Amino acid sequence: MIKPDVIISWPKHVDYPLFRYNMKRWRRYFNEVFIVLTQDTMQLDVSNFIKNDMNNCVFIKAPLVYSDWRSNGIRHVIDNLSKSIFILFLEQDFLIYHGELFQ
């Protein structure tokens, strides 16, 4: 079975409860899960809660290299952290109902 690395851009001021649930539910199908915390301009920060809840993921605060926040985080993970030849990019509105998707 192919187990890709997963890269997720995650605004530090927003929680996605159903997505967190699904990531824990289907975690066994992934190699590393990289969560790039973004949106430093927002005052609200729930990232500590998310880190505590999703403790089997790698949380990244990418250095600012590119002007686009999403591109900045994704490129940082690809260039420096991910070792897999397969990468799955996920967004929090991608809701997974059945594990057959990964088999």
Side-chain angles (χ1 to χ4, degrees):
M1 175 174 59
I2 295 173
K3 292 179 80 169
D5 279 354
V6 175
I7 303 176
I8 305 161
S9 294
W10 197 306
K12 68 177 193 153
H13 63 283
V14 182
D15 183 23
Y16 301 94
L18 187 55
F19 184 77
R20 283 189 292 108
Y21 167 76
N22 277 324
M23 286 305 295
K24 288 184 269 186
R25 186 175 169 202
W26 306 116
R27 179 63 176 90
R28 67 185 176 273
Y29 294 107
F30 309 129
N31 185 32
E32 292 287 346
V33 175
F34 296 100
I35 297 176
V36 183
L37 296 169
T38 64
Q39 306 291 326
D40 281 337
T41 58
M42 303 302 285
Q43 192 170 18
L44 181 64
D45 184 350
V46 296
S47 61
N48 285 333
F49 170 78
I50 297 164
K51 288 177 188 178
N52 287 333
D53 188 59
M54 299 182 69
N55 56 12
N56 59 354
C57 300
V58 178
F59 286 85
I60 308 299
K61 183 175 178 346
L64 185 59
V65 177
Y66 308 100
S67 59
D68 176 75
W69 57 265
R70 187 176 190 283
S71 179
N72 186 61
I74 298 299
R75 288 181 179 192
H76 177 73
V77 173
I78 291 172
D79 293 343
N80 301 295
L81 301 170
S82 178
K83 305 294 186 232
S84 179
I85 60 172
F86 299 102
I87 297 176
L88 176 62
F89 299 94
L90 288 179
E91 300 291 334
Q92 290 83 350
D93 60 351
F94 180 68
L95 302 178
I96 307 157
Y97 296 104
H98 301 288
E100 293 87 27
L101 175 70
F102 304 117
Q103 297 175 359

